[in-house]
Amino acid sequence: SGSGAGTAAYETMVSVGSETAGSLIVPASWNGVVGMYPSKGVVDGSQVIPLITNNDSAGPIGRNVKDVATLLGVIDTKDTDYVAGLDAKALNGVKAAFLKADVLAQPTSPLEDTADNAAIAQLIEQGLTKAGANVSDSEFAPAQIGAQLNAVLATLIAGGIRHDMLPYLTAAGAPVKTPEDLAAYNLKDPQTRIPFQQSTLDSSVANTDVKDAAEYQDGITQIKAAAVAALEQAFADSQADVLVSVNNYHSQVYATANYPAISVPMGLRANGMPVGVVLIGKPGEEAKLLSYAYALEQATNLRATPDLTQE
């Protein structure tokens, strides 16, 4: 969130964030900037404190696609000139499958008013068409994968805290080895260590389903396979080159499958909140995805500059 807000507020040109399931894409979308979740391993995450190692990836945030491409070229493990590959005509003839039904079905939450999602969807379709893409709707069959992943995400996080995060902290010298140790440590000085409580950690302590490391890894393997299958089916059914979503509506799917995604500003909602269109590509297609995003950005130019005047 700090990476997205700080970049939007001109406190920095670019920034680096990390994502387990939406933590790069949604701050970028909600702050009206560009954010990218690269394929697993494109950016070396060995020094990033893990939450769910399978999902976790660091990625770039910037106010435009060119800045994001530049930063990715600096922090990645590849020898790729992403900026040189940017092409304003990259979407010409490209088949874009819009996960429109899922976008229109999104309920309003305390954080986001989705009442104008139909208007946002229309704006996205117009932008993609203007950029030269051939747009079709995709039902994202099997649609239940999103609900399935949402249902097990809390359990996966509980397992990740126990089997991914705590071993990392212990190896780094922290005086704790288990979630139970960490919860007790925090309670010794709650005003300093947990001023906003520790409900997620408490849930991890209480969750008995993932105490066995082998069972946790088996669960990760199964749910990742399901996420990969769902994405591949969406690509195949629509014969698509790229999938299209909004905000973090499909983050749990692409991040679990380790497919790259990028958010491009689509202006403001009726209530003044920024919103972003998300393009999802296939593993290893970062350069192609950045070029698609650049083409859409150039065709729409919908990023709204925030009012930073002080009262």
Side-chain angles (χ1 to χ4, degrees), residues 1 7 51 57 106 112 124 210 245 292:
S1 297
T7 304
L51 183 55
S57 179
Q106 289 296 315
E112 180 186 14
I124 290 169
V210 287
S245 181
Y292 290 163

Side-chain angles (χ1 to χ4, degrees), residues 56-98:
D56 299 332
S57 179
I61 292 177
R63 287 187 292 276
N64 58 63
V65 175
K66 186 175 181 180
D67 285 354
V68 165
T70 302
L71 181 55
L72 183 62
V74 174
I75 65 175
D76 74 345
T77 59
K78 312 293 183 180
D79 185 19
T80 304
D81 188 342
Y82 300 104
V83 175
L86 299 181
D87 181 2
K89 297 181 179 180
L91 281 171
N92 280 352
V94 166
K95 294 181 179 179
F98 190 13

